[in-house]
Amino acid sequence: MITNPFKTTTSILAFSALLAFNSGFAQKNTKNTKDAPVFSNFVYQGKDKIYDENPLKEGEFYSPILQGCYPDPAITRKGDDYYLVNSSFSMFPGVPIFHSKDLVNWKQIGYVLDRPSQLKVETAGVSAGIYAPDIKYNKHNDTFYMVTTQIASGIGNMVVKTKDPAKGWSEVKKLNFDGIDPAIFFDDDGKAYIVHNDAPDKGKERYSGHRVIKLWEYDLEKDDVIPGTDKIIVDGGVHPDQNPIWIEGPHLYKHKGKYYLMCAEGGTGDWHSEVIFTSDSPKGPFIPANNNPILTQRYFPKDRKNKVDWAGHADLVEGPNGQWYGVYLAVRPNEKQRVNTGRETFILPVDWSGTYPVFENGLIPMKPTTKMPKGVTNQVGKNGFLPNGNFTFTDNLSTPNLDYKWIAMRGPRENFINVSKDGTKVIPFTTNIKAQAPVSALFHRQQHATFDATVTLKYQPKSEADLAGITCYQNEKSNYVFGVTKKGNDTYLVLERTEKSGSKLLASEKIDVKKPIQLQVTAKGDDYNFNYSTDGKSFKNLGGTVSGDILSTDVAGGFTGALIGLYSTSGNDVRP
């Protein structure tokens, strides 16, 4: 089971202080751009069997709606417009934001935190940075709010605002309370509240994983909680006598005159669940429903086919025609129970005709398809809408504004890329992929258990310190590097595996790079292969079949999914 690494508020603050120590860090390009590698013609193809075996029928769409590392979804509505955000940790830009008119067809409209002034993660661990964002629209002042926890640079809990989510967000306003996972709620009378996960009062922690949910009144003029208004509204969880762990990810709602508090419980691993409480007041007391949990996958055989697991951390929204829906995270392990694709965003209809909301089919083994809302046409993968299921993403990497899919790690991609009609130059940093620092790599999420990813590389390294190619990356201590470097007067293609115990060269081969070459990574569950082509027709393998174990959070640790990077460095330490 994976649980939160920050057991107390004190540890969060200490961690933030450690990161803040080097908050002025900024990596610089060290080479003339004429020597930089040029990447072009990137093709990613998803080939998961589950989609071949479960073709869509009339009136269906696939869930997850966001495949790959898009965890901790939160959603809001203004009129007919829906906006969804996800955790982004130390990826840059941060907090991807998506828009839909119908909850089926989605477009990414950008990122909430798209400037270094908003996101200070230069020295943060991959699974630090941005945790559990919440987005809510306040009809009383026609303003969108995004609150989250930034585990970096001493920022902690924070808020940004906008009138239009597609036109940029304000600078960060630090919020004065401890804990993590804040969510904001706007009541009918115009008052606002914050709920969040926190440690128990000092001296009252009963067991490891004991957490509480706190509520604060929120001052909309000052954009901060009102001192002295904090109150513990849940202590431990649904059954305090059973020592429930990690009550977190809270959201507050008002429905038919009553207040509902929905939270994740059980940690983010295989005991994850979603639970619900109700009250006549936003300040409680909150009484748990008798039918908790209302969403989980923890009760089913571990060897079930097409397993979806770890379901929880949900948010609710009223959809078209008054039908409620819930977005939530879950994972789809491969045949060896690895979770290389990370925690993804799923959706289910919610029945709220009774006292409590109930996720339809949220307490049975989950299926890959979901019924569409009435009157909606499935345009997924068409007309600019994001694809899901098995799809192919092709990018010649020559468009000045690169696709939103491309992200960097710990700093802006603009610091190291140069886009031209021939492709994208990835200008090398002196740091390499093993550094807990900004790295010169453009990353694309792994979105399928079975996939091919191929890119054309034009590059002639000048020394053994130079390398460019593909990286399959979980974090700085868990990754593969498949790239071109130099030894003496010869050019080599190398494959290196890095894990917690150290790095190992798996294979190397002398190669002619006078002409562009193609590099390819393929995966089929836990089996990964790294291939290359010098003629654009036939591919040759280097290093045989290797395990994707280090690209899974159950081996590498943390909360992110695997990334495929177009990478260069002038600080290479892989020796053929």
Side-chain angles (χ1 to χ4, degrees), residues 435-512:
Q436 191 167 308
V439 293
S440 40
L442 273 179
F443 289 106
H444 180 285
R445 289 166 173 84
Q446 179 180 331
Q447 298 180 285
H448 300 80
T450 300
F451 74 90
D452 297 342
T454 306
V455 71
T456 299
L457 173 65
K458 181 180 179 182
Y459 180 55
Q460 294 187 24
K462 301 301 180 184
S463 74
E464 64 181 18
D466 299 326
L467 179 142
I470 290 176
T471 178
C472 286
Y473 182 86
Q474 174 60 233
N475 60 48
E476 63 275 1
K477 294 182 179 179
S478 299
N479 57 73
Y480 284 99
V481 168
F482 179 52
V484 174
T485 188
K486 195 89 179 246
K487 180 181 180 182
N489 294 321
D490 297 317
T491 304
Y492 281 82
L493 188 62
V494 295
L495 177 63
E496 183 186 64
R497 172 185 166 106
T498 295
E499 52 191 308
K500 293 176 183 177
S501 60
S503 298
K504 181 180 179 181
L505 180 70
L506 301 182
S508 65
E509 188 169 310
K510 213 179 279 190
I511 189 170
D512 184 355

Side-chain angles (χ1 to χ4, degrees), residues 12 22 42 67 88 143 167 202 255 394 408 436 513 524:
I12 295 174
N22 285 320
F42 178 83
Q67 294 165 232
S88 54
T143 300
K167 293 183 178 179
K202 189 174 182 179
H255 184 64
T394 301
Q436 191 167 308
V513 292
K524 187 175 182 180

